[in-house]
Structures are given as C-alpha cells and as structure tokens.
Amino acid sequence: KWYLQQHKPARFSQQALTGKLVAHLNKVDNACNERMEQFINEMAQAEGITETLKASDQLEWVRRMSSIQHRGEETVCRELIYEGEVSHESERP
C-alpha cells in the first residue's frame, strides 16, 4: 500500500476508487508470503541449516535463519513489489 501511495499515486487512487485496491493488496501479500516461504526453505537447505543445528546450537540457528529472513524480504520486495509482475498486473488491459 505504501509503495503504491508514494510511487504510483494515480494507480493507488484509481484502484481505491474502483474498489480493487484491497483485492490487489491481498494478491500481492499472498504472493509475497508464498515466495518468502519458498526462499527461506531453499536458502536454509542450500546453507545446511537443519533441525540438528537448531537442537545443538540454537543461537547459531537463529542468527542464520534471521539472515535468510532479511535477505528474503529484500529479494521478495524487489522481485514482486518494485519490479515484479504482481505490482504491475493492474496496468494490463
């Protein structure tokens, strides 16, 4: 919502006035949540972060998972909100 208000005010107003804003925001939110889950799972597997690590060294597990979470948020925002298909879908006829 903030991104649309700040960077695409005409689209924000148009969607708000036509009643499509909430549906669009829900769609973006769902896509972001799905992509975050996928990103976290892929990165945890690639970096060898396992339940065994969680059981043996919780602080290290939290540190590494937190790092993945932050990288995921940056990646997902860039892919789906700032540059991606989901944010520009309402521009298509």
Side-chain angles (χ1 to χ4, degrees), residues 31-44:
C32 288
N33 288 331
E34 288 174 12
R35 180 66 180 112
M36 275 297 294
E37 185 176 338
Q38 177 187 17
F39 183 89
I40 289 170
N41 290 335
E42 289 173 359
M43 293 304 295

Side-chain angles (χ1 to χ4, degrees), residues 40-91:
I40 289 170
N41 290 335
E42 289 173 359
M43 293 304 295
Q45 183 177 9
E47 295 179 17
I49 302 171
T50 63
E51 290 297 316
T52 305
L53 175 63
K54 184 178 181 180
S56 65
D57 190 349
Q58 290 180 355
L59 289 177
E60 179 63 15
W61 183 87
V62 169
R63 183 186 68 77
R64 292 171 69 180
M65 290 301 289
S66 180
S67 174
I68 290 173
Q69 178 80 22
H70 293 300
R71 286 182 280 153
E73 289 171 358
E74 291 175 10
T75 300
V76 168
C77 284
R78 185 181 65 250
E79 288 177 356
L80 297 180
I81 297 173
Y82 307 135
E83 300 170 358
E85 293 289 319
V86 177
S87 65
H88 304 292
E89 205 164 272
S90 63
E91 293 177 341

